[in-house]
Amino acid sequence: MAINSVPLSAKILARSAIILVICLLSLHLLSSTALTQTDRRINIALLGSFSALDADYFGLDQAAGIDAAFRYEIYTNLYLESRLGSYACSGNGENIHGFNSQIGLIAFSSHFLPFRPGVRAAFALQSANPITVTPTDTFKPSQTTFYLVTGLNLGRYVWKKMLVEAGIDVLYAPYEYTIYRFDRQSVSAQNSQFVHYTFSLGASYSF
């Protein structure tokens, strides 16, 4: 069974454009940061997510989930961020559950209050349950996939230190995974690098 794929050149072009935007915005966010604040803030967030999965990702189309994020300010408006969550994928009539964990950095700007734009970069690990489709096809994704993450974030203060946040992330697997497909007479394999796009919406609180 043939597997549809996005040309690698298109993936590289989209990834490069997003990285360029993030770098330019990062320079703006950090160039005029105030240095007078000495307190270290903590921010917690609860985010719902929807992911458009790579066309090669084991025949799965989309994923929805929820993440909890813990952020600790290590420099003015620059936070160390840790995320942990779960998600469910759909495809071939199957619902597949998995877990998502990320660790990285997120930088916010305070120049546009009450809006608070930000950029983030992280490492991610995603696990998924094995998938089995019978009687003709059986395939099993890697239990854990590793990604580099870049993203944009936009928050708006709605009450004191509470924000509503929306974001978009690109998850890119830096190396290839092998996709196996089985039928009753043969086995086929294909190597692919995954690129996923995740949209998130939720709320956060700083203290």
Side-chain angles (χ1 to χ4, degrees):
M1 185 171 86
I3 300 176
N4 296 327
S5 63
V6 177
L8 187 58
S9 59
K11 295 179 181 179
I12 294 174
L13 181 61
R15 189 167 64 250
S16 299
I18 292 171
I19 291 174
L20 178 61
V21 171
I22 290 173
C23 289
L24 292 175
L25 185 55
S26 297
L27 290 175
H28 174 71
L29 296 183
L30 299 177
S31 61
S32 57
T33 300
L35 301 178
T36 57
Q37 182 176 331
T38 58
D39 293 340
R40 293 293 177 257
R41 292 171 291 183
I42 292 175
N43 178 274
I44 55 174
L46 188 64
L47 306 166
S49 65
F50 175 84
S51 298
L53 301 177
D54 194 290
D56 287 349
Y57 192 64
F58 307 105
L60 300 173
D61 300 321
Q62 58 192 20
I66 188 168
D67 290 342
F70 176 84
R71 301 160 179 163
Y72 177 75
E73 189 177 34
I74 57 176
Y75 189 73
T76 306
N77 290 327
L78 179 65
Y79 291 78
L80 177 66
E81 181 187 56
S82 176
R83 291 191 182 189
L84 184 64
S86 64
Y87 65 94
C89 301
S90 62
N92 296 322
E94 298 287 332
N95 290 322
I96 308 304
H97 297 278
F99 294 95
N100 169 55
S101 63
Q102 298 185 21
I103 186 166
L105 297 173
I106 183 167
F108 294 104
S109 172
S110 57
H111 304 315
F112 308 99
L113 298 176
F115 295 97
R116 196 184 189 201
V119 295
R120 63 186 303 265
F123 300 109
L125 292 174
Q126 287 190 345
S127 65
N129 294 331
I131 303 172
T132 303
V133 181
T134 56
T136 58
D137 295 310
T138 300
F139 61 99
K140 178 181 177 181
S142 301
Q143 285 296 105
T144 302
T145 47
F146 171 75
Y147 299 95
L148 304 176
V149 184
T150 56
L152 300 173
N153 183 279
L154 179 62
R156 190 186 193 282
Y157 283 97
V158 293
W159 180 76
K160 293 184 179 180
K161 297 182 179 181
M162 180 172 288
L163 296 92
V164 172
E165 291 188 11
I168 178 171
D169 293 329
V170 179
L171 286 77
Y172 168 67
Y175 48 84
E176 293 184 339
Y177 285 87
T178 301
I179 301 171
Y180 293 99
R181 287 187 177 274
F182 303 83
D183 59 34
R184 294 180 178 180
Q185 297 181 343
S186 64
V187 178
S188 63
Q190 174 182 331
N191 293 331
S192 180
Q193 288 179 276
F194 307 129
V195 179
H196 308 312
Y197 299 89
T198 299
F199 307 89
S200 60
L201 180 65
S204 68
Y205 184 80
S206 297
F207 54 92

